[in-house]
Every structure is written in C-alpha cells, then in structure tokens.
Amino acid sequence: MRFSSDSSEGGNSLPALESSSSFESLNTFWQIYVTDYERTIFKRIRSLESAQYYNLPPQTPPGEYETIVRAHFDQALSVDHLRSAMDMEYREILILEKKALLQERLFSNLISEDNLERIMELSPYNNIRKEAYEFVEEEVDTLDLRFEEQRKAMDE
C-alpha cells in the first residue's frame, strides 16, 4: 500500500484497506493513515486563514472553518465515508487556494494602478480586496470545476 504521489489534482490519495466496513478498521485507518493527510489539510486551512485574503476560507471567527472540517471528519461512519470526506475537503481547499491566488493577482494589479488614488475617489467601492473577491467568485461560479479544462481555465 502506498500514497499517491500526485495529490495536487485532489484525487484519492489514501491507500485502500483490506476491510473498510468495521469500526476497528476505521480506527486503524484513522490512526495509521489519516494523520498526515489530516495534518496537510489543516495546515493548508491555517495558511489560508493567516493570509490577508477576503473571505477565504469562508468563515466568521478564525478557526471556525477548521472546526467545521474536523466535525465533518469526526462524523465518518466507515473508512470509505472518511476517505470521501477527506478527499472532498482537500479538493475544496485546492479551489480556495486557487481563488486566493486569483484574488491576490487581481488585488496586486489594482493596487499598482498609476491612477489608483483618483480611481478610489471616483469609485463607489472602498475595499479592493472585497471587490477582487466578489469578481473572482462571480467568474468562478461560471466554471464547472469537475472538468479538467475548466479547472485549467481558473489557472490562466
């Protein structure tokens, strides 16, 4: 059994177990295999939380997103259910990270405008990060991220 080396696509990166139906198997799976995957997920969540992105990850107080994800994992009823929950959360974090990158690029482009002061005087908007976030959200909503070509369009 080995972990997939390509976790960047959000594919199933956890190994298969001989028996995935028993409570004992779930505990073994959790203790032996899940630790690194879980650590990676929470490290990436904390990284997003500590950055200055607007509403990424979507949360109110700091740490809430991690708490929600942890509760989602704790509700797993089987190994397959846990694998599915972890893979889904990992894919969601990859999307949030791409949105953060897009938000940062747009923010950097806007903030480097020569006429930024004048633009801000005339603009009805006063929060560049919020506007960058809303623009990215609107554009990403038009993509179907289940398809590779649309995921690649998000990178461009």
Side-chain angles (χ1 to χ4, degrees), residues 86-103:
M86 293 186 89
D87 287 340
M88 184 192 75
E89 293 297 345
Y90 189 79
R91 281 189 298 275
E92 181 65 25
I93 290 166
L94 291 176
I95 291 169
L96 291 174
E97 288 172 339
K98 287 182 182 205
K99 286 179 177 182
L101 180 61
L102 292 171
Q103 187 183 122

Side-chain angles (χ1 to χ4, degrees), residues 129-146:
R129 287 207 180 271
K130 179 181 178 190
E131 296 309 314
Y133 167 81
E134 289 178 359
F135 177 81
V136 168
E137 285 295 306
E138 186 176 302
E139 291 301 310
V140 170
D141 279 347
T142 65
L143 299 175
D144 187 341
L145 299 176
R146 293 175 296 167

